[in-house]
Amino acid sequence: RGLGDVYKRQILYTLFFQQRSSFMQKYLDILKNSALFSGIDTKDLINMFKCLLMNIKTYEKNSYILKASEPLVEVGIILKGRVNIIKEDYWGNRTILTTLSTGDLFGESFVCTNINNNCFSIVTAEKAEIMFLNYQKITSPCQFACNFHSKIIQNMLLLIAKKNIQLTTKIDHLSKKTTREKILSYLSSEALKNNNNSFTIPFNRQELADFLSVERSAMSAELSLSLIHISEPTRPEPIS
């Protein structure tokens, strides 16, 4: 009976890692291009799942991945789709802090600082698949003596620094006094970033209004006066 139990455990263990390997192969290209895993060999990336606790979940459009005040103990990587990081007030008004797409990471700042009560919510802008990784497993040495832990920590610090710069840029947009100035500040920065006056933004009209903390009707009026066109599909829209 004892040998039978051992055999069953071995089968379950093998099936577990086979299933995990199939997930890995499906999303390998996405993970290789993720900034979190930059500079990590494909072999190490595959072996990574031997020691990192990962969990993949699927969310429908406009679903909450995390609500404000809920504890955040894992970092998330977007495998498919797009999500918005939002701040909602008591009356339900919302501001989009940032939008994230395939390969992007979220939750690292709050997990790193061990803050239990976060002040933002994470909502899907379209159907999304999210991989959650245990932060403690990422930053702590493991029994397999994996050499990629230090590189992931470096990448995470770099990501946090870049997001701080992005938030500083957004503060600059919001510091403008009028709706027109906010729109032009944002579009100007995007044009400079793309080195082109025709580019794509990750927002529809309502999301752009929420991002800039302006009324959609006022924003649409300004866009009309400025002869700037934003198309309305759910996918990112070209501006010209």
Side-chain angles (χ1 to χ4, degrees), residues 119-181:
C119 58
F120 63 84
S121 298
I122 305 174
V123 182
T124 57
E126 55 189 58
K127 186 175 180 179
E129 292 182 1
I130 310 296
M131 174 183 288
F132 294 96
L133 297 174
N134 185 286
Y135 172 73
Q136 295 299 328
K137 291 291 185 178
I138 293 176
T139 58
S140 303
C142 68
Q143 60 178 324
F144 299 102
C146 301
N147 58 8
F148 57 79
H149 287 278
S150 60
K151 183 59 179 176
I152 291 182
I153 294 173
Q154 293 176 18
N155 290 342
M156 189 174 292
L157 290 174
L158 181 61
L159 283 169
I160 293 173
K162 286 183 176 180
K163 288 185 178 181
N164 284 338
I165 294 174
Q166 291 172 355
L167 288 176
T168 301
T169 302
K170 182 182 179 181
I171 290 172
D172 181 54
H173 302 328
L174 298 184
S175 68
K176 307 304 181 185
K177 294 182 179 180
T178 67
T179 297
R180 180 182 180 84
E181 289 174 340

Side-chain angles (χ1 to χ4, degrees), residues 31-45:
L31 296 175
K32 285 194 298 185
N33 292 323
S34 174
L36 180 64
F37 303 119
S38 176
I40 297 177
D41 293 337
T42 301
K43 181 180 178 180
D44 288 334
L45 195 58

Side-chain angles (χ1 to χ4, degrees), residues 6-47:
V6 171
Y7 182 68
K8 289 179 181 178
R9 285 197 296 269
Q10 289 178 339
I11 293 176
L12 291 174
Y13 184 81
T14 300
L15 291 174
F16 172 77
F17 278 104
Q18 285 178 345
Q19 183 183 40
R20 179 170 287 190
S21 177
S22 67
F23 275 125
M24 189 65 192
Q25 292 299 326
K26 181 180 179 180
Y27 298 114
L28 184 59
D29 289 338
I30 295 173
L31 296 175
K32 285 194 298 185
N33 292 323
S34 174
L36 180 64
F37 303 119
S38 176
I40 297 177
D41 293 337
T42 301
K43 181 180 178 180
D44 288 334
L45 195 58
I46 294 174
N47 291 333

Side-chain angles (χ1 to χ4, degrees), residues 91-123:
W91 295 276
N93 300 311
R94 76 171 192 168
T95 299
I96 295 179
L97 302 179
T98 189
T99 188
L100 303 171
S101 57
T102 301
D104 286 337
L105 182 77
F106 63 81
E108 68 279 5
S109 296
F110 280 85
V111 173
C112 287
T113 53
N114 292 320
I115 296 177
N116 292 324
N117 295 321
N118 72 82
C119 58
F120 63 84
S121 298
I122 305 174
V123 182

